[in-house]
Amino acid sequence: MQKQIQAQIDRVRKQGAAYVDARWYPFEESQALTMWNGNLKNNTSSRESGMGIRVLYNGAWGFSASSDMTALPALFDKALENAKAAAERVTFPVRLAEKDAVQAQFSSPNRINPFEVSLAEKVDFLKSMDAKLEQKGVFQRISDVQFVRKQINFQDSEGSLVEKLITEVFVSLQVVGLDAQGNAHERSFTAPRRGKTRGWETIDADYFGEHAERIVSELNQVVAAEDCPKEDRSVILLPGIMYLQTHETIGHALELDRILGYELAFAGGSFVTLDDFGKLRYGSEKLTARADATLPNSPGSFGYDDDGIPAQNNLLIDEGILVGAITGRQMVEEANARARKPVFSGSGGANRATSFYRVPIERMTNINIDPGVDGTLEDIISQTEKGIVMDGDRSWSIGSNREQFHFGTQIGWLVDDGKITKVVKNSTYKGDTLKFWNALSAVGDERTWEVKYVDNCGKGQPNQVMQLGHGIPVCRFDNVRIGE
Ligand SMILES: [Zn+2]
């Protein structure tokens, strides 16, 4: 197959294409199981295969995709025809940043392939979680597992050949309870990645069982609690909400295609401009953020992106100053041309497609915050006069250019004079992105740092749902409006 694909790539190149690549998925399989109040509510599986082809001709992309591999020449011809048609109305000719050709393989580390585990064993795990969640005060309980395994073979006209085998396991637990007024409250647990692997072995029933009991206990406290006060406090965010703060106001804001206006029609823009790189004070000196696609155990790590660029660990914000973006080959060239100076020195390796029949676009890898020097959660609480600890995402609303935000969290613990005093319900906080990150006053050390994943990040037209990660410590921000 590899030789047949290469022959087609060479043939289309000879017909005048500047660049050609093919992503062949020999298989992609997925499975999702949901246990809802003791019943197996959902058991879906899918398996697909196919190929996507990109052709660059006279500064314009053409794309074609099919699951029918019997007529490869016609599939390549279609991508070329599409590129020729697009070239007639191109406004900004596509150029690709330089890269080195690689011949490489990547396999996400795992010991047990989840697709070799029996359905009975998976259902047993969900039943054991359901039994832990079935307690007084719980109105609705949901345990959920998802598995993905896919092979992606990438080849291009510049001599690259990359074979990737990606395996992912996702687990989440959720409970819902009603307060005295009949309003619903939820508490959930999405497992952080522990260890170095990503297979079935990451499902540890004892570990999840402990967290199941914890979220039920916390739900019952929330249901019985008073409302969050409306006032200014220091906000201490645990990784279970801090990951979303980072995702929405650093990750999405720093996607280079969004900065250049390509997502305006759907996902929105960014307040960041090309002039800001190297200058803008994004946050306090305690803020160092990076796009790190080299973490072994996270879905934001994939070895090589869909341009064939190796995984990188790139600074985005260095001690508060904006220094980098989430980039791929095409957008760095366009950004440098528009800025009339070299803002970016090459692709950051973040161009990914969600399937063979979608084109790659810039996606978050693992958008992480470096651990700080302010100790444990207990240390940070003990040094907070008037604050609130928050965890769990309940609602979110973000300005279309990522300039403001409002988050509702599942639980809040008020802190007064260095001690937790009580739990509150309906906890919320809001702010302006830059003002908020500049109010970052404490960052927990590596003991507070967790790798959270996002399995449903949406972007692009047509929509592409992507999986990625966030390595996140506990963080404290001062003078934040809460409760409204
Ligand atoms: Zn997202």
Side-chain angles (χ1 to χ4, degrees):
M1 194 67 173
Q2 184 191 320
K3 280 187 181 151
Q4 293 174 43
I5 295 169
Q6 199 59 48
Q8 293 304 320
I9 289 174
D10 295 344
R11 182 178 64 82
V12 173
R13 269 283 276 149
K14 285 202 186 89
Q15 291 177 37
Y19 171 84
V20 185
D21 69 26
R23 276 177 301 115
W24 173 40
Y25 286 51
F27 70 90
E28 171 165 4
E29 52 191 339
S30 66
Q31 183 181 31
L33 300 169
T34 305
M35 181 77 73
W36 190 86
N37 282 2
N39 298 302
L40 189 62
K41 183 180 174 234
N42 176 44
N43 173 13
T44 27
S45 302
S46 71
R47 190 179 166 93
E48 59 188 21
S49 64
M51 190 185 295
I53 293 150
R54 288 192 304 178
V55 170
L56 185 59
Y57 181 90
N58 270 358
W61 283 119
F63 182 69
S64 69
S66 177
S67 52
D68 179 3
M69 295 292 96
T70 60
L72 277 188
L75 194 57
F76 278 81
D77 286 343
K78 194 173 173 196
L80 177 61
E81 282 163 29
N82 288 343
K84 284 180 173 173
E88 288 172 17
R89 44 185 72 80
V90 73
T91 51
F92 202 99
V94 173
R95 291 187 56 214
L96 299 176
E98 294 292 315
K99 72 163 180 179
D100 295 326
V102 287
Q103 284 83 44
Q105 291 184 322
F106 173 81
S107 179
S108 47
N110 67 97
R111 286 209 309 280
I112 304 170
N113 173 359
F115 290 88
E116 287 172 1
V117 175
S118 70
L119 180 63
E121 200 174 334
K122 291 167 181 168
V123 172
D124 279 351
F125 169 73
L126 291 176
K127 277 184 183 162
S128 71
M129 291 302 109
D130 187 75
K132 296 266 186 200
L133 298 175
E134 186 179 12
Q135 290 182 48
K136 191 164 172 285
V138 177
F139 171 71
Q140 179 173 282
R141 51 190 200 276
I142 300 169
S143 311
D144 182 84
V145 288
Q146 276 186 68
F147 310 103
V148 177
R149 192 165 169 93
K150 57 186 167 185
Q151 172 84 40
I152 307 172
N153 294 348
F154 172 90
Q155 267 171 271
D156 71 13
S157 57
E158 297 176 354
S160 291
L161 182 64
V162 178
E163 296 179 350
K164 296 190 280 191
L165 177 62
I166 306 284
T167 305
E168 295 296 347
V169 171
F170 301 116
V171 183
S172 69
L173 309 174
Q174 187 197 52
V175 282
V176 177
L178 301 177
D179 65 18
Q181 291 77 41
N183 295 318
H185 299 270
E186 69 167 273
R187 191 75 184 100
S188 62
F189 176 62
T190 303
R193 291 306 176 89
R194 306 181 308 146
K196 299 283 182 203
T197 65
R198 293 148 76 164
W200 171 260
E201 68 280 0
T202 60
I203 293 190
D204 171 347
D206 291 340
Y207 171 75
F208 283 97
E210 282 172 26
H211 286 282
E213 286 175 359
R214 176 178 60 79
I215 63 172
V216 169
S217 157
E218 291 177 356
L219 175 73
N220 284 325
Q221 294 171 57
V222 168
V223 162
E226 291 169 27
D227 272 319
C228 176
K230 292 181 177 47
E231 58 191 13
D232 290 349
R233 279 183 177 252
S234 294
V235 167
I236 299 167
L237 300 182
L238 303 191
I241 182 66
M242 187 61 206
Y243 85 98
L244 193 61
Q245 181 71 47
T246 305
H247 183 90
E248 301 293 359
T249 65
I250 290 181
H252 279 305
L254 296 184
E255 293 160 341
L256 187 52
D257 54 354
R258 185 189 282 263
I259 291 168
L260 293 175
Y262 279 98
E263 289 290 316
L264 280 174
F266 177 58
S270 175
F271 65 88
V272 172
T273 69
L274 294 177
D275 274 343
D276 289 335
F277 290 92
K279 284 190 285 213
L280 178 68
R281 177 155 282 288
Y282 208 100
S284 77
E285 284 175 5
K286 288 186 178 280
L287 176 62
T288 291
R290 59 184 72 240
D292 181 3
T294 67
L295 276 178
N297 58 356
S298 172
S301 302
F302 36 83
Y304 299 82
D305 78 355
D306 291 332
D307 288 331
I309 303 281
Q312 297 169 30
N313 179 357
N314 293 322
L315 277 174
L316 297 174
I317 299 167
D318 188 8
E319 296 184 350
I321 303 296
L322 178 67
V323 295
I326 296 163
T327 65
R329 289 184 85 188
Q330 176 183 346
M331 292 301 153
V332 297
E333 284 292 304
E334 181 165 335
N336 291 346
R338 287 194 188 202
R340 298 174 196 279
K341 62 180 179 187
V343 183
F344 302 102
S345 61
S347 169
N351 222 27
R352 281 196 291 164
T354 191
S355 63
F356 72 85
Y357 50 85
R358 293 281 183 264
V359 294
I361 54 177
E362 280 150 344
R363 303 307 302 246
M364 288 180 224
T365 57
N366 300 296
I367 307 305
N368 303 345
I369 307 284
D370 281 5
V373 295
D374 297 304
T376 63
L377 172 63
E378 292 69 30
D379 294 333
I380 293 173
I381 290 171
S382 73
Q383 286 152 23
T384 302
E385 204 179 308
K386 186 180 178 188
I388 181 169
V389 179
M390 294 192 189
D391 195 29
D393 52 84
R394 178 166 61 89
S395 68
W396 55 95
S397 168
I398 328 284
S400 64
N401 289 323
R402 308 277 143 176
E403 63 282 67
Q404 315 96 5
F405 58 83
H406 180 282
F407 289 105
T409 67
Q410 296 170 0
I411 187 166
W413 294 266
L414 292 186
V415 174
D416 288 292
D417 300 324
K419 288 194 175 63
I420 286 181
T421 50
K422 64 178 175 184
V423 169
V424 291
K425 68 181 179 185
N426 296 325
S427 43
T428 63
Y429 70 99
K430 65 178 183 177
D432 298 325
T433 299
L434 291 183
K435 191 174 162 222
F436 183 77
W437 284 108
N438 275 283
L440 175 63
S441 63
V443 178
D445 65 23
E446 41 291 302
R447 287 169 291 178
T448 73
W449 198 83
E450 289 183 359
V451 179
K452 294 289 196 184
Y453 63 80
V454 173
D455 61 2
N456 60 352
C457 176
K459 188 181 170 187
Q461 282 182 304
N463 189 26
Q464 300 195 39
V465 173
M466 191 53 85
Q467 297 79 42
L468 52 100
H470 295 290
I472 296 291
V474 169
C475 289
R476 185 185 65 199
F477 302 84
D478 291 337
N479 300 313
V480 179
R481 193 70 182 165
I482 65 167
E484 63 181 32

